[in-house]
Amino acid sequence: MTTKKHNKRKAQLTEYLAQLDEFNWHHPTQVSEMADSQHERDNRTYYLAQISLILFNNYQQSYMQIAQMLNMSSRTARRLTIDYEQDFDSLEEIMEELQNGEDW
């Protein structure tokens, strides 16, 4: 993989992760109240799993590489790829879903 493609993909991942945290930025006073919300945790975990699965299956990234890109442990990256099925074919589909999906 070329450095240019790697930097582009890393920029895309940063953008996708920012989208996942959008609620925290728009509603900072409610974040602590919702920290225990099972629904919010489930949504975040689901989308992190989907990103992990795409990186693992489509880009042949190792658990260690996925963990480094998504700022999690390699054990968590492995668990996410085992516990969830891949529902999206590309990172772009995830981004579209996040932009057009739930109002976080």
Side-chain angles (χ1 to χ4, degrees), residues 51-72:
I51 292 171
S52 298
L53 283 163
I54 288 172
L55 290 171
F56 185 75
N57 294 327
N58 297 17
Y59 296 100
Q60 292 74 44
Q61 299 295 301
S62 69
Y63 297 125
M64 190 65 88
Q65 291 168 319
I66 293 169
Q68 187 177 25
M69 284 186 242
L70 300 179
N71 196 26
M72 65 174 81

mmCIF file of all heavy atoms in Angstrom, residues 51-72:
data_model
loop_
_atom_site.group_PDB
_atom_site.id
_atom_site.type_symbol
_atom_site.label_atom_id
_atom_site.label_comp_id
_atom_site.label_asym_id
_atom_site.label_seq_id
_atom_site.Cartn_x
_atom_site.Cartn_y
_atom_site.Cartn_z
ATOM 1 N N ILE A 51 -16.644 -1.137 11.159
ATOM 2 C CA ILE A 51 -15.392 -0.579 10.635
ATOM 3 C C ILE A 51 -14.278 -1.615 10.779
ATOM 4 O O ILE A 51 -13.485 -1.831 9.855
ATOM 5 C CB ILE A 51 -15.030 0.743 11.349
ATOM 6 C CG1 ILE A 51 -16.044 1.830 10.976
ATOM 7 C CG2 ILE A 51 -13.623 1.186 10.980
ATOM 8 C CD1 ILE A 51 -15.919 3.108 11.793
ATOM 9 N N SER A 52 -14.224 -2.279 11.921
ATOM 10 C CA SER A 52 -13.206 -3.312 12.148
ATOM 11 C C SER A 52 -13.328 -4.450 11.141
ATOM 12 O O SER A 52 -12.325 -4.921 10.600
ATOM 13 C CB SER A 52 -13.327 -3.872 13.566
ATOM 14 O OG SER A 52 -13.103 -2.876 14.524
ATOM 15 N N LEU A 53 -14.549 -4.889 10.894
ATOM 16 C CA LEU A 53 -14.771 -5.974 9.939
ATOM 17 C C LEU A 53 -14.345 -5.585 8.524
ATOM 18 O O LEU A 53 -13.750 -6.393 7.808
ATOM 19 C CB LEU A 53 -16.249 -6.391 9.957
ATOM 20 C CG LEU A 53 -16.653 -7.243 11.154
ATOM 21 C CD1 LEU A 53 -18.167 -7.247 11.318
ATOM 22 C CD2 LEU A 53 -16.124 -8.661 10.991
ATOM 23 N N ILE A 54 -14.639 -4.366 8.127
ATOM 24 C CA ILE A 54 -14.234 -3.913 6.792
ATOM 25 C C ILE A 54 -12.717 -3.848 6.700
ATOM 26 O O ILE A 54 -12.122 -4.290 5.714
ATOM 27 C CB ILE A 54 -14.888 -2.563 6.448
ATOM 28 C CG1 ILE A 54 -16.384 -2.795 6.179
ATOM 29 C CG2 ILE A 54 -14.221 -1.922 5.232
ATOM 30 C CD1 ILE A 54 -17.189 -1.541 6.009
ATOM 31 N N LEU A 55 -12.076 -3.317 7.733
ATOM 32 C CA LEU A 55 -10.614 -3.251 7.724
ATOM 33 C C LEU A 55 -10.006 -4.653 7.696
ATOM 34 O O LEU A 55 -9.017 -4.900 7.005
ATOM 35 C CB LEU A 55 -10.104 -2.484 8.943
ATOM 36 C CG LEU A 55 -10.381 -0.993 8.954
ATOM 37 C CD1 LEU A 55 -10.013 -0.392 10.301
ATOM 38 C CD2 LEU A 55 -9.626 -0.295 7.838
ATOM 39 N N PHE A 56 -10.601 -5.573 8.429
ATOM 40 C CA PHE A 56 -10.092 -6.944 8.512
ATOM 41 C C PHE A 56 -10.348 -7.711 7.212
ATOM 42 O O PHE A 56 -9.432 -8.315 6.647
ATOM 43 C CB PHE A 56 -10.739 -7.664 9.694
ATOM 44 C CG PHE A 56 -10.194 -9.035 9.944
ATOM 45 C CD1 PHE A 56 -8.948 -9.199 10.523
ATOM 46 C CD2 PHE A 56 -10.929 -10.157 9.619
ATOM 47 C CE1 PHE A 56 -8.437 -10.471 10.767
ATOM 48 C CE2 PHE A 56 -10.433 -11.428 9.853
ATOM 49 C CZ PHE A 56 -9.181 -11.593 10.426
ATOM 50 N N ASN A 57 -11.584 -7.676 6.722
ATOM 51 C CA ASN A 57 -11.955 -8.480 5.552
ATOM 52 C C ASN A 57 -11.586 -7.833 4.215
ATOM 53 O O ASN A 57 -11.136 -8.518 3.303
ATOM 54 C CB ASN A 57 -13.463 -8.766 5.564
ATOM 55 C CG ASN A 57 -13.853 -9.653 6.722
ATOM 56 O OD1 ASN A 57 -13.093 -10.510 7.150
ATOM 57 N ND2 ASN A 57 -15.039 -9.437 7.253
ATOM 58 N N ASN A 58 -11.808 -6.535 4.086
ATOM 59 C CA ASN A 58 -11.582 -5.868 2.804
ATOM 60 C C ASN A 58 -10.143 -5.409 2.603
ATOM 61 O O ASN A 58 -9.660 -5.364 1.482
ATOM 62 C CB ASN A 58 -12.508 -4.662 2.657
ATOM 63 C CG ASN A 58 -13.975 -5.043 2.636
ATOM 64 O OD1 ASN A 58 -14.356 -6.133 3.031
ATOM 65 N ND2 ASN A 58 -14.809 -4.135 2.200
ATOM 66 N N TYR A 59 -9.495 -5.020 3.704
ATOM 67 C CA TYR A 59 -8.146 -4.453 3.594
ATOM 68 C C TYR A 59 -7.073 -5.344 4.227
ATOM 69 O O TYR A 59 -5.919 -4.954 4.292
ATOM 70 C CB TYR A 59 -8.102 -3.059 4.233
ATOM 71 C CG TYR A 59 -8.982 -2.059 3.524
ATOM 72 C CD1 TYR A 59 -10.237 -1.740 4.024
ATOM 73 C CD2 TYR A 59 -8.555 -1.445 2.353
ATOM 74 C CE1 TYR A 59 -11.052 -0.827 3.370
ATOM 75 C CE2 TYR A 59 -9.361 -0.532 1.692
ATOM 76 C CZ TYR A 59 -10.606 -0.228 2.204
ATOM 77 O OH TYR A 59 -11.410 0.675 1.560
ATOM 78 N N GLN A 60 -7.468 -6.517 4.725
ATOM 79 C CA GLN A 60 -6.550 -7.492 5.306
ATOM 80 C C GLN A 60 -5.646 -6.885 6.379
ATOM 81 O O GLN A 60 -4.445 -7.169 6.453
ATOM 82 C CB GLN A 60 -5.683 -8.172 4.223
ATOM 83 C CG GLN A 60 -6.444 -9.075 3.282
ATOM 84 C CD GLN A 60 -7.283 -8.308 2.273
ATOM 85 O OE1 GLN A 60 -6.804 -7.344 1.710
ATOM 86 N NE2 GLN A 60 -8.506 -8.728 2.064
ATOM 87 N N GLN A 61 -6.223 -6.059 7.220
ATOM 88 C CA GLN A 61 -5.483 -5.466 8.327
ATOM 89 C C GLN A 61 -5.493 -6.434 9.511
ATOM 90 O O GLN A 61 -6.474 -7.141 9.735
ATOM 91 C CB GLN A 61 -6.115 -4.140 8.757
ATOM 92 C CG GLN A 61 -6.134 -3.079 7.674
ATOM 93 C CD GLN A 61 -4.739 -2.648 7.279
ATOM 94 O OE1 GLN A 61 -3.978 -2.174 8.098
ATOM 95 N NE2 GLN A 61 -4.418 -2.821 6.015
ATOM 96 N N SER A 62 -4.414 -6.469 10.260
ATOM 97 C CA SER A 62 -4.334 -7.334 11.436
ATOM 98 C C SER A 62 -5.109 -6.701 12.595
ATOM 99 O O SER A 62 -5.447 -5.515 12.562
ATOM 100 C CB SER A 62 -2.876 -7.531 11.839
ATOM 101 O OG SER A 62 -2.346 -6.323 12.350
ATOM 102 N N TYR A 63 -5.354 -7.512 13.612
ATOM 103 C CA TYR A 63 -6.039 -6.990 14.797
ATOM 104 C C TYR A 63 -5.229 -5.853 15.422
ATOM 105 O O TYR A 63 -5.794 -4.873 15.895
ATOM 106 C CB TYR A 63 -6.273 -8.090 15.828
ATOM 107 C CG TYR A 63 -7.168 -9.198 15.345
ATOM 108 C CD1 TYR A 63 -6.755 -10.519 15.377
ATOM 109 C CD2 TYR A 63 -8.446 -8.926 14.857
ATOM 110 C CE1 TYR A 63 -7.576 -11.546 14.935
ATOM 111 C CE2 TYR A 63 -9.275 -9.943 14.412
ATOM 112 C CZ TYR A 63 -8.826 -11.250 14.452
ATOM 113 O OH TYR A 63 -9.652 -12.243 14.008
ATOM 114 N N MET A 64 -3.925 -5.996 15.420
ATOM 115 C CA MET A 64 -3.054 -4.970 15.985
ATOM 116 C C MET A 64 -3.168 -3.670 15.181
ATOM 117 O O MET A 64 -3.251 -2.588 15.763
ATOM 118 C CB MET A 64 -1.598 -5.460 16.001
ATOM 119 C CG MET A 64 -0.701 -4.546 16.785
ATOM 120 S SD MET A 64 -1.110 -4.510 18.532
ATOM 121 C CE MET A 64 -0.120 -5.861 19.090
ATOM 122 N N GLN A 65 -3.195 -3.767 13.862
ATOM 123 C CA GLN A 65 -3.325 -2.576 13.020
ATOM 124 C C GLN A 65 -4.689 -1.921 13.212
ATOM 125 O O GLN A 65 -4.793 -0.700 13.283
ATOM 126 C CB GLN A 65 -3.103 -2.940 11.551
ATOM 127 C CG GLN A 65 -1.670 -3.326 11.237
ATOM 128 C CD GLN A 65 -1.530 -3.963 9.872
ATOM 129 O OE1 GLN A 65 -2.356 -4.780 9.458
ATOM 130 N NE2 GLN A 65 -0.474 -3.587 9.162
ATOM 131 N N ILE A 66 -5.731 -2.734 13.274
ATOM 132 C CA ILE A 66 -7.085 -2.207 13.493
ATOM 133 C C ILE A 66 -7.143 -1.497 14.841
ATOM 134 O O ILE A 66 -7.674 -0.384 14.951
ATOM 135 C CB ILE A 66 -8.132 -3.339 13.427
ATOM 136 C CG1 ILE A 66 -8.223 -3.890 12.004
ATOM 137 C CG2 ILE A 66 -9.495 -2.846 13.905
ATOM 138 C CD1 ILE A 66 -9.020 -5.175 11.889
ATOM 139 N N ALA A 67 -6.591 -2.122 15.848
ATOM 140 C CA ALA A 67 -6.595 -1.536 17.194
ATOM 141 C C ALA A 67 -5.878 -0.189 17.205
ATOM 142 O O ALA A 67 -6.353 0.771 17.812
ATOM 143 C CB ALA A 67 -5.929 -2.496 18.175
ATOM 144 N N GLN A 68 -4.772 -0.118 16.502
ATOM 145 C CA GLN A 68 -4.018 1.137 16.459
ATOM 146 C C GLN A 68 -4.806 2.224 15.731
ATOM 147 O O GLN A 68 -4.859 3.362 16.183
ATOM 148 C CB GLN A 68 -2.679 0.894 15.759
ATOM 149 C CG GLN A 68 -1.747 2.073 15.807
ATOM 150 C CD GLN A 68 -0.409 1.741 15.165
ATOM 151 O OE1 GLN A 68 -0.308 0.877 14.318
ATOM 152 N NE2 GLN A 68 0.613 2.463 15.582
ATOM 153 N N MET A 69 -5.440 1.872 14.617
ATOM 154 C CA MET A 69 -6.207 2.859 13.848
ATOM 155 C C MET A 69 -7.427 3.358 14.601
ATOM 156 O O MET A 69 -7.780 4.532 14.511
ATOM 157 C CB MET A 69 -6.658 2.255 12.514
ATOM 158 C CG MET A 69 -5.578 2.154 11.486
ATOM 159 S SD MET A 69 -6.265 1.603 9.919
ATOM 160 C CE MET A 69 -5.403 0.070 9.703
ATOM 161 N N LEU A 70 -8.084 2.467 15.341
ATOM 162 C CA LEU A 70 -9.335 2.821 16.017
ATOM 163 C C LEU A 70 -9.148 3.124 17.501
ATOM 164 O O LEU A 70 -10.132 3.312 18.218
ATOM 165 C CB LEU A 70 -10.364 1.700 15.829
ATOM 166 C CG LEU A 70 -10.733 1.393 14.376
ATOM 167 C CD1 LEU A 70 -11.742 0.251 14.321
ATOM 168 C CD2 LEU A 70 -11.272 2.620 13.676
ATOM 169 N N ASN A 71 -7.906 3.138 17.930
ATOM 170 C CA ASN A 71 -7.574 3.499 19.311
ATOM 171 C C ASN A 71 -8.277 2.582 20.319
ATOM 172 O O ASN A 71 -9.024 3.027 21.199
ATOM 173 C CB ASN A 71 -7.906 4.968 19.578
ATOM 174 C CG ASN A 71 -7.249 5.474 20.834
ATOM 175 O OD1 ASN A 71 -6.223 4.949 21.250
ATOM 176 N ND2 ASN A 71 -7.849 6.472 21.446
ATOM 177 N N MET A 72 -8.039 1.283 20.169
ATOM 178 C CA MET A 72 -8.591 0.280 21.081
ATOM 179 C C MET A 72 -7.552 -0.822 21.249
ATOM 180 O O MET A 72 -6.525 -0.803 20.577
ATOM 181 C CB MET A 72 -9.903 -0.277 20.541
ATOM 182 C CG MET A 72 -9.764 -1.064 19.243
ATOM 183 S SD MET A 72 -11.264 -1.862 18.677
ATOM 184 C CE MET A 72 -12.111 -0.513 17.897
#
